[in-house]
Amino acid sequence: MAAANPFATRFTRPGRIAPLDAAGRPVDLSALLDRLDAVGGRAAIEGSHGSGKSTLLIRLHDLAAARGGLSVLHRLGAGPWRDAAVAITAVLWASPAGLVFLDSWERLGPVARWATRLAARRRGCRLVVTSHGPAGLPVLTRCQPSVDMLLAIVRELPEAASWLGPVVGDHDIREAFARHAPNIREALFDLYDLFEERRGGRQPSGS
């Protein structure tokens, strides 16, 4: 059995898990960056809570940086005024070839969103945001959680060969998704608790 709970946040937090599509297959990050240019350089990643938007945004930022591009990533949530200042400043300081990634776009008020879009357009920089709903930008992609996605995530967690089946099985994973769908993050929290309970000596109910 794994020495540490494989569902711990250090293994499952945004950016640690490879972005997957609804079928549980790796997302083609290069194709998404190419699509960004095709839709005008400014777009949104849409999806429900816990659907993998932040993970996808982080991995796109990492790829853009690895390509040698000038990119910055900001996670909003410090408060309306500070978030507005962070977003607009990031765009104004970006180079025309730069790329600004903003997580939790909906935390900006309507005026701040409008100002950020306008600044990006005038600056000529590219912009990618995450949003739960319509963002006033073309949709780059939509995160669509599924049980297949969750199954694929779990199979890639640390030391899965030692505990997947004997401790936590596919049946448990499917039940966790059914309880929390479409929130993958909450399903993983549920499986963390289940792993801890069963590691304490109780027998799994199924696999």
Side-chain angles (χ1 to χ4, degrees):
M1 186 184 296
N5 190 318
F7 299 96
T9 54
R10 66 179 178 274
F11 303 126
T12 61
R13 67 177 180 265
R16 289 302 302 268
I17 298 169
L20 304 174
D21 65 16
R25 299 171 301 207
V27 173
D28 188 337
L29 299 175
S30 293
L32 278 183
L33 284 182
D34 293 341
R35 173 171 164 72
L36 176 62
D37 292 328
V39 299
R42 289 169 286 280
I45 298 169
E46 293 185 1
S48 57
H49 286 283
S51 62
K53 301 184 302 299
S54 296
T55 283
L56 181 53
L57 192 76
I58 291 168
R59 290 300 184 93
L60 284 174
H61 166 262
D62 291 346
L63 176 59
R67 286 181 172 183
L70 300 174
S71 64
V72 296
L73 169 65
H74 293 286
R75 302 191 70 179
L76 305 176
W81 291 106
R82 182 162 183 172
D83 287 341
V86 166
I88 295 170
T89 300
V91 167
L92 290 176
W93 279 91
S95 71
L99 218 170
V100 175
F101 295 90
L102 298 176
D103 198 11
S104 299
W105 177 249
E106 66 279 347
R107 292 182 180 272
L108 295 176
V111 173
R113 290 196 295 269
W114 172 83
T116 303
R117 292 195 303 269
L118 178 62
R121 186 166 61 250
R122 290 188 173 177
R123 186 67 178 162
C125 70
R126 293 175 293 166
L127 174 68
V128 181
V129 307
T130 63
S131 179
H132 296 135
L137 292 164
V139 176
L140 183 63
T141 189
R142 287 186 175 88
C143 294
Q144 299 176 307
S146 68
V147 68
D148 289 331
M149 179 190 290
L150 181 58
L151 285 164
I153 288 171
V154 172
R155 288 166 185 157
E156 294 301 317
L157 293 178
E159 301 180 50
S162 69
W163 54 262
L164 185 55
V167 182
V168 173
D170 283 3
H171 175 72
D172 302 308
I173 298 165
R174 293 179 185 279
E175 284 193 342
F177 182 80
R179 282 192 294 272
H180 299 286
N183 195 320
I184 293 286
R185 182 172 57 242
E186 289 297 327
L188 289 169
F189 290 158
D190 202 1
L191 291 169
Y192 174 94
D193 292 338
L194 183 65
F195 188 93
E196 286 296 298
E197 174 186 319
R198 292 181 176 171
R199 181 159 63 173
R202 302 181 190 178
Q203 295 299 311
S205 58
S207 60

